[in-house]
Amino acid sequence: MEEPHLTAQAQNKAPLAFGEFVSLVAAMMALTALGIDSMLPALPAIGASLGVDAPNHRQYVVTAFLIGFAFAQLAYGPLSDRYGRRPVLAIALTSYVVTSAVAALSGSFTLLLIARAAMGASAAGARVVSVALVRDCFAGRAMARVMSLAFIVFMAAPIVAPSLGQLILYAGSWRLIFWAVAALACVVVLWFWLRMPETLGQEGRLSLNPARVFADYGLMLRDRQAVGYTIGIMLLSGGMFGFIGSVQQVMEDVFHAPGLLAVVFPCVASTMALGSFLNSRLVMKMGMRRISHTALAGMIVFAAIHLAVAWGGFESIWSFTLLQALMMGCVGLSTSNFSAMAMERMGEIAGTASSLQGFVTTLGSALIGAAIGQAFDGTTVPLYTGFLLMGLTAFVVVAVTERGRMFRPS
C-alpha cells in the first residue's frame, strides 16, 4: 500500500531533534496517564477523608476525569486548526496546573469530582493537539513509528505513577499527589513553550465557522477507515479503563494485598511500553495492519484464557499479573497502529479529526470502563468478561472496516 499524500506540513521531519520531539510529545500525552494512575493507591484515603462509603463510588474519581477529557476534545481540534498548535496547547497545559491545585484543595467529594472533570478537560488539549502536531510533521508508517516511540515514554507514566502515589501517601496526605502532578505539569509547560515551534503554517489555518467544523466532522465520519479504527480504539480502551478503575479493589478484595498495587500495576503497564517499542522497530517492515490485527487476535486469546481461569476459581496474583500483562502488550501493539490508521487520511483536518476521534474514543471507553468497573463483585470475572467482549467486538469492527481483508502487510 502506498503512503498517503503528505500535506505541506507533513514531510516526515520533526521540527526539533527527533529524540527531543518524541520525548516532548510523550511527556504532554503522559500528563493524562499521570493524572489518572497516580490517584489509584489514594482512592481509599480519598474516600475516608471525604466521606465516600461505597468502594465502587471511589471509581468516580477516575470517571469524572475521563468525562471532562472526552467532551473538551471537541473544542481543542477546531481551535488548534484556527489559531495554531502552540497557543492552544500552552493554555491547556497551564489550565492543567491550576485545576490540579484546585483538586488538592478540595474539601468535599463533589468539589473534587468537579476539579477532576476540569483536569480532564485541560488534559484533553495535550492529547488532541499532540496528535495533530505529530500529524503535521509525519504521515503513514512514519507517523505510526513516531506514535509508537512516544508511547514508550508515555507508558512510563502508568509504570511509575502508582509507585509515586504510594510513596507520597507514605510521606503525607493524598492531597500531595495533586500538588506533585501540578509541579510536573509546570515542567512540561515550560519545556513545550521554550522548545516547540509552531507546526501549522498560516496557509493551513482553518476558520472557526461552525458550518466548516461540522463539514470536517462529516468528512471524518464518512471515512470508513477513520471510523472503524476509532471504534476499535474505543473498545480496547474501554477494557483498559475497566481494569484501571477496578484494579485497586482487585488487589484489596481478591488478593488481600493492596500494598502490592505499586508492584503489579507497573509489571502490567510495562508490557504496553514493550509492545510500542516492538512496533516502532517492526512497523516500517511489516506494516500497521499485519501487526495490529495479529495483536488484536492475541489479546482475544489471552482474555479468553484469563476468563476461564477466573471462572474456574484458579485466579492467583501470578495468573492475574501474567495474563493481564500479555493482554496489555497486545493492546499497546494494536492501539498505536489503530491511532495512526484512523488519522492516515486526515492530514488536511488533523486537529478537527483528532478532536472528534478523541471525543468518541474517550467518552465511549469511559462509559464502557465504568460499566465494567461498577460490575466488580469481588472476583475478576466481570473484568475479563468485559475484556473478551470488547476484543471480539473490536475484531468484528476491524474486519468490517477492512472488508474482510485482515492481516495485510500494509
Side-chain angles (χ1 to χ4, degrees):
M1 178 179 171
E2 294 182 358
E3 297 287 354
H5 175 69
L6 301 181
T7 66
Q9 287 78 35
Q11 299 297 331
N12 286 343
K13 183 178 180 182
L16 303 174
F18 185 77
E20 183 182 4
F21 176 79
V22 171
S23 297
L24 180 51
V25 169
M28 291 187 290
M29 294 173 65
L31 290 175
T32 301
L34 186 66
I36 297 172
D37 300 326
S38 63
M39 305 297 119
L40 299 180
L43 292 180
I46 291 173
S49 174
L50 300 180
V52 183
D53 297 325
N56 280 9
H57 291 176
R58 300 191 304 241
Q59 297 178 22
Y60 296 152
V61 174
V62 175
T63 304
F65 185 100
L66 294 174
I67 296 297
F69 187 87
F71 282 96
Q73 291 181 81
L74 290 173
Y76 284 114
L79 287 172
S80 70
D81 280 344
R82 172 64 182 88
Y83 297 109
R85 314 307 185 202
R86 261 174 65 88
V88 175
L89 241 173
I91 292 171
L93 293 172
T94 302
S95 176
Y96 191 78
V97 175
V98 174
T99 53
S100 297
V102 173
L105 297 170
S106 297
S108 70
F109 193 59
T110 299
L111 180 57
L112 177 63
L113 293 183
I114 293 172
R116 289 289 289 165
M119 281 182 69
S122 303
R127 187 270 175 200
V128 169
V129 186
S130 293
V131 174
L133 188 151
V134 172
R135 185 59 186 85
D136 287 342
C137 305
F138 296 91
R141 293 185 183 183
M143 182 182 177
R145 177 171 176 262
V146 172
M147 293 300 291
S148 294
L149 290 169
F151 256 76
I152 296 170
V153 183
F154 165 73
M155 284 311 302
I159 293 170
V160 173
S163 299
L164 175 63
Q166 190 66 65
L167 287 173
I168 293 173
L169 283 178
Y170 288 144
S173 167
W174 57 267
R175 299 178 188 277
L176 293 177
I177 297 176
F178 289 103
W179 288 119
V181 170
L184 291 171
C186 280
V187 173
V188 176
V189 172
L190 291 173
W191 183 11
F192 167 77
W193 190 252
L194 294 175
R195 296 292 297 157
M196 182 66 77
E198 179 59 63
T199 59
L200 183 66
Q202 290 294 330
E203 70 282 359
R205 305 290 173 94
L206 302 174
S207 76
L208 274 178
N209 186 314
R212 195 279 305 170
V213 173
F214 282 103
D216 287 349
Y217 285 158
L219 287 175
M220 199 221 84
L221 292 173
R222 288 192 296 272
D223 188 290
R224 185 188 191 93
Q225 180 171 307
V227 171
Y229 283 107
T230 295
I231 294 172
I233 296 168
M234 178 191 73
L235 293 167
L236 295 184
S237 298
M240 184 176 66
F241 285 137
F243 167 76
I244 291 172
S246 56
V247 65
Q248 189 277 326
Q249 289 171 265
V250 169
M251 295 305 298
E252 183 172 349
D253 298 342
V254 179
F255 302 121
H256 310 292
L260 289 180
L261 175 63
V263 176
V264 170
F265 197 92
C267 290
V268 169
S270 63
T271 58
M272 290 191 73
L274 177 61
S276 293
F277 172 74
L278 290 174
N279 191 64
S280 71
R281 301 296 298 270
L282 299 175
V283 69
M284 300 299 287
K285 295 179 181 179
M286 296 180 61
M288 295 178 282
R289 286 170 175 80
R290 177 170 290 175
I291 293 174
S292 61
H293 298 171
T294 302
L296 177 57
M299 179 261 184
I300 293 169
V301 170
F302 291 131
I305 293 172
H306 207 158
L307 178 58
V309 169
W311 223 326
F314 302 110
E315 185 78 283
S316 70
I317 197 166
W318 296 104
S319 66
F320 176 80
T321 304
L322 175 62
L323 290 170
Q324 182 66 47
L326 291 171
M327 278 197 301
M328 290 304 227
C330 291
V331 170
L333 278 169
S334 297
T335 54
S336 56
N337 286 297
F338 283 9
S339 295
M341 287 188 284
M343 288 292 292
E344 192 170 24
R345 301 169 182 169
M346 301 291 109
E348 300 296 337
I349 55 168
T352 304
S354 178
S355 69
L356 182 57
Q357 290 175 13
F359 168 73
V360 172
T361 57
T362 307
L363 181 61
S365 60
L367 295 175
I368 292 169
I372 294 173
Q374 292 300 309
F376 179 73
D377 61 358
T379 74
T380 56
V381 170
L383 177 60
Y384 293 108
T385 300
F387 262 111
L388 181 58
L389 289 176
M390 293 306 102
L392 289 171
T393 307
F395 194 89
V396 171
V397 169
V398 170
V400 171
T401 300
E402 296 291 348
R403 295 184 170 87
R405 296 176 296 165
M406 303 280 285
F407 308 100
R408 288 182 291 149
S410 59

